[in-house]
Amino acid sequence: MLNASLKELSAALAQKKISSAELTKLFLDRTSRLNGALNAFITVEAEKSLAQAHAADERIAKGDAQPLTGIPVAHKDIFVTKGWRTTCGSKMLSNFVSPYDAHVIERFNDAGAVILGKTNMDEFAMGSSSETSFYGPVKNPWNQERVPGGSSGGSTAAIAARMAPAATGTDTGGSIRQPAALSGVSGLKPTYGLVSRYGMIAFASSLDQGGPIAKSAEDLALLLNVMAGFDGRDSTSVERAAEDYRRELDRPLAGLRVGVPKEHFGEGLAADVGKAIEAALAQLDKLGAKRVSISLPNSGLSVPAYYVIAPAEASSNLSRFDGVRYGYRAKGYRDLADMYFRTRAEGFGAEVRRRILIGTYVLSHGYYDAYYLKAQKIRRLIADDFAAAFKQCDVIVGPTAPTVAFKIGAKAADPVQMYLNDIYTIPANLAGLPAMSIPCGFGKDDLPVGLHIVGNYFSEARMLNLAHQYQKATDWHEREPAGVRP
Amino acid sequence: MPLSSEEVRRIAELARIGVSDAEAAAVQAQLNDIFELIGRMQKVDTEGVAPMSHGQDLKLRLRDDVVTERDQRERFQSVAPKVERGLYLVPKVIE
């Protein structure tokens, strides 16, 4: 059951081979054994999960089940969840029990899924290693001295260690895809606007997008069917007819034009990762896809532009944390101003404070044109690069991250080195394009490598098609870490 | 152009984040590394390029001007640090 696909779990539940309560207990038990070592979950509340599981069992008995009814799902602790503590990995929200549900949580609740717990993450999703959490770093199940990637590292570690069959994440600059790559699981960032941001604690609103994390592309399609959909409470939610993201899974790849950007194979890409990606491209050739060499000339500028735009938006979004309406309030302040200064100095960790300072600076008087406006112009150039590329190809494929998982602490003191982890993932966020990562082999020290797939706007079904066909021909996504020490 | 420690303090003041002298020095070095990275943008000619403020060029929706929320003040204030008679309490600002 721990290795079963969502389709198999759904069938087992429908045929009463297992109840949702039993299934939920199975994963809760595994989580309680492994979480001490991996720190993938911030909050687990078995009673709440089991109550939902019993309700799901009743729904199944009544013949009213949907595909995800009774299936436990781990949620990144960025989605506010009614009655659950929701921390966003921060001391600032260490006492915050949400009075309402995020749209994504509502959708899973309506589908009858079970909330398995809230997963650990970089504080306010700012990081690429899941080390900046106030609740301690997440360990990579493949090697516990390594990071799982971030910021959705709790969710990807939980899937890799089989502590959950499905999970959610959010992706602002790569926070679903980079940890999926480093943890050896599959993850998808949808087209901007496809999944509602309502109740998803804001980092950089023009980039933030929620998405699913699971073992396979087929599972991702099933999860995306539930997560995607219009929501009037998110002003950038896209109004579109509902799609079944499974509809193209079985389509043959013959004739599919796969663009390979030369800029993503140059300096900075580790040789072991490059080798695994080359092998994956050869596999796609074998499946009948047609390789096309493309260029994304401005993609090297994506990291600099991102580190203006994302901190600028974050500095504005995080101004709400002032110790007045919710969350942490410092003690022993002299007056109102002092209360703000102390609350924000004590409540935010070092990386969050750093990004707020960057954002405040680039938006401050006299610097707006040089930084913020310049970054927005570069954002346009990057989006235009993609538009040109998609005239020549249907999907773009390359490495998700430049290296395999690095050691815990290795880059913590050097922000710039940490930021460069997201060099291949950030362009899709800036352009608003859908992108995903799937396991495609192993590199140095037997650590997983991720294949990055970027599609045109709203082409999730086509991307999932490619990923599923690749996963039918390979078994990288079925590999699991051998030695998770409880 | 590197940031001075004075500028770091000014930004922290604007952002309402308290920083000690030791922190300001450490942050100053890291911010300067980051701004060196950001500075790579300046080499590119962006004359005439329309700034892109969003992931997609979306139009903002309009909706009917009707009440869509109900009063849930107590529930939402239950998570506030300090509340009295439906008001958020902060230290006195007017003598």
Side-chain angles (χ1 to χ4, degrees):
Chain A
M1 283 294 168
L2 291 173
N3 282 309
S5 71
L6 296 184
K7 195 168 144 188
E8 287 163 349
L9 290 180
S10 194
L13 286 164
Q15 294 155 15
K16 316 269 165 56
K17 283 185 185 151
I18 192 168
S19 69
S20 173
E22 288 164 337
L23 188 64
T24 301
K25 204 157 175 317
L26 181 75
F27 283 104
L28 284 171
D29 286 349
R30 188 163 171 86
T31 294
S32 73
R33 271 196 299 124
L34 300 184
N35 202 46
L38 298 176
N39 202 23
F41 285 82
I42 293 175
T43 304
V44 176
E45 292 204 52
E47 271 176 39
K48 282 197 180 110
S49 303
L50 288 170
Q52 273 192 308
H54 288 303
D57 282 330
E58 279 172 33
R59 190 165 161 180
I60 294 166
K62 271 191 267 173
D64 183 25
Q66 289 177 24
L68 288 188
T69 304
I71 293 188
V73 181
H75 292 289
K76 186 177 183 180
D77 207 19
I78 197 167
F79 292 102
V80 302
T81 310
K82 193 174 171 180
W84 289 69
R85 185 170 74 135
T86 300
T87 70
C88 219
S90 183
K91 180 180 178 184
M92 190 60 95
L93 289 173
S94 51
N95 60 358
F96 181 72
V97 176
S98 176
Y100 73 105
D101 277 326
H103 184 71
V104 164
I105 302 288
E106 280 178 1
R107 302 277 298 200
F108 277 107
N109 285 346
D110 290 349
V114 173
I115 300 167
L116 192 63
K118 307 297 296 289
T119 60
N120 203 350
M121 54 183 284
D122 281 299
E123 185 182 4
F124 285 103
M126 296 178 191
S128 308
S129 65
S130 299
E131 291 174 286
T132 71
S133 170
F134 176 65
Y135 306 90
V138 182
K139 312 285 170 62
N140 190 322
W142 295 90
N143 179 333
Q144 290 172 46
E145 287 169 8
R146 305 282 175 143
V147 303
S151 67
S152 310
S155 286
T156 60
I159 298 295
R162 308 298 190 249
M163 295 157 88
T168 56
T170 58
D171 191 314
T172 303
S175 278
I176 287 175
R177 294 161 286 152
Q178 185 261 12
L182 270 50
S183 303
V185 302
S186 304
L188 187 149
K189 178 202 94 73
T191 305
Y192 182 84
L194 203 62
V195 171
S196 169
R197 292 181 293 107
Y198 180 77
M200 198 175 99
I201 297 171
F203 162 14
S205 303
S206 81
L207 304 163
D208 295 343
Q209 182 60 203
I213 295 166
K215 294 189 288 292
S216 69
E218 188 185 35
D219 287 357
L220 293 178
L222 207 55
L223 293 164
L224 190 58
N225 277 353
V226 168
M227 292 179 83
F230 175 70
D231 175 22
R233 297 166 301 185
D234 170 357
S235 61
T236 57
S237 177
V238 184
E239 286 186 83
R240 294 170 55 85
E243 292 182 42
D244 183 353
Y245 293 98
R246 296 171 299 183
R247 71 182 187 276
E248 293 194 32
L249 289 178
D250 292 321
R251 185 170 162 184
L253 293 190
L256 181 76
R257 296 171 305 164
V258 173
V260 182
K262 60 172 193 257
E263 290 82 3
H264 291 192
F265 289 83
E267 196 193 335
L269 179 66
D272 58 329
V273 175
K275 212 174 135 196
I277 300 298
E278 277 302 333
L281 289 171
Q283 180 66 55
L284 292 177
D285 293 342
K286 243 196 263 175
L287 292 169
K290 197 169 145 259
R291 239 193 264 195
V292 184
S293 179
I294 59 159
S295 176
L296 300 170
N298 293 293
S299 98
L301 293 167
S302 63
V303 178
Y306 177 85
Y307 278 95
V308 171
I309 292 168
E313 294 183 17
S315 72
S316 167
N317 274 326
L318 272 63
S319 64
R320 72 190 61 174
F321 298 104
D322 57 2
V324 176
R325 285 168 301 158
Y326 33 68
Y328 178 78
R329 178 187 284 196
K331 289 178 183 61
Y333 42 82
R334 289 189 307 274
D335 50 28
L336 182 62
D338 193 42
M339 186 186 95
Y340 293 150
F341 282 105
R342 283 175 192 255
T343 295
R344 290 164 64 78
E346 294 168 17
F348 291 135
E351 179 63 20
V352 174
R353 294 201 303 270
R354 199 149 50 226
R355 296 209 196 180
I356 292 174
L357 295 178
I358 298 168
T360 305
Y361 182 70
V362 299
L363 291 177
S364 65
H365 182 70
Y367 296 99
Y368 181 87
D369 285 4
Y371 290 114
Y372 193 65
L373 203 63
K374 183 81 180 178
Q376 288 193 324
K377 288 179 173 183
I378 291 191
R379 184 175 189 175
R380 173 78 60 193
L381 296 179
I382 288 165
D384 288 350
D385 283 354
F386 279 114
F390 281 122
K391 286 186 180 135
Q392 294 169 264
C393 63
D394 304 305
V395 289
I396 296 172
V397 166
T400 304
T403 67
V404 294
F406 45 93
K407 287 207 167 109
I408 291 172
K411 298 182 182 183
D414 188 345
V416 169
Q417 281 311 306
M418 187 70 89
Y419 297 170
L420 290 171
N421 267 296
D422 295 329
I423 189 157
Y424 305 134
T425 51
I426 284 174
N429 297 87
L430 291 172
L433 292 164
M436 63 190 293
S437 180
I438 55 170
C440 73
F442 292 85
K444 232 168 49 183
D445 303 319
D446 295 323
L447 290 161
V449 174
L451 182 71
H452 195 218
I453 305 164
V454 183
N456 212 337
Y457 299 102
F458 305 108
S459 70
E460 284 83 358
R462 197 67 168 127
M463 294 156 57
L464 288 161
N465 164 230
L466 179 146
H468 180 64
Q469 291 301 313
Y470 177 81
Q471 291 184 333
K472 265 175 53 181
T474 59
D475 69 350
W476 304 116
H477 63 293
E478 287 170 358
R479 306 284 183 93
E480 59 174 321
V484 181
R485 297 181 305 269
Chain B
M1 173 191 64
L3 292 176
S4 66
S5 64
E6 219 163 87
E7 273 176 305
V8 172
R9 295 193 149 281
R10 187 181 63 88
I11 303 164
E13 175 89 20
L14 288 172
R16 299 291 183 268
I17 294 177
V19 283
S20 67
D21 289 339
E23 276 171 337
V27 167
Q28 184 188 353
Q30 284 167 336
L31 289 187
N32 279 322
D33 283 351
I34 296 165
F35 276 102
E36 204 181 302
L37 172 79
I38 290 172
R40 290 182 201 169
M41 290 193 313
Q42 308 303 345
K43 291 187 201 118
V44 186
D45 181 10
T46 50
E47 189 66 38
V49 177
M52 181 173 171
S53 59
H54 229 274
Q56 282 187 49
D57 292 321
L58 297 167
K59 278 202 191 84
L60 279 181
R61 283 189 309 276
L62 295 175
R63 65 167 175 83
D64 293 334
D65 187 14
V66 292
V67 176
T68 56
E69 294 289 323
R70 58 200 166 83
D71 179 14
Q72 304 182 70
R73 187 171 71 181
E74 272 178 39
R75 191 146 72 89
F76 285 100
Q77 287 196 329
S78 68
V79 291
K82 230 171 178 182
V83 175
E84 204 178 291
R85 285 174 293 168
L87 302 169
Y88 293 103
L89 294 194
V90 295
K92 199 161 130 181
V93 282
I94 304 164
E95 288 304 320

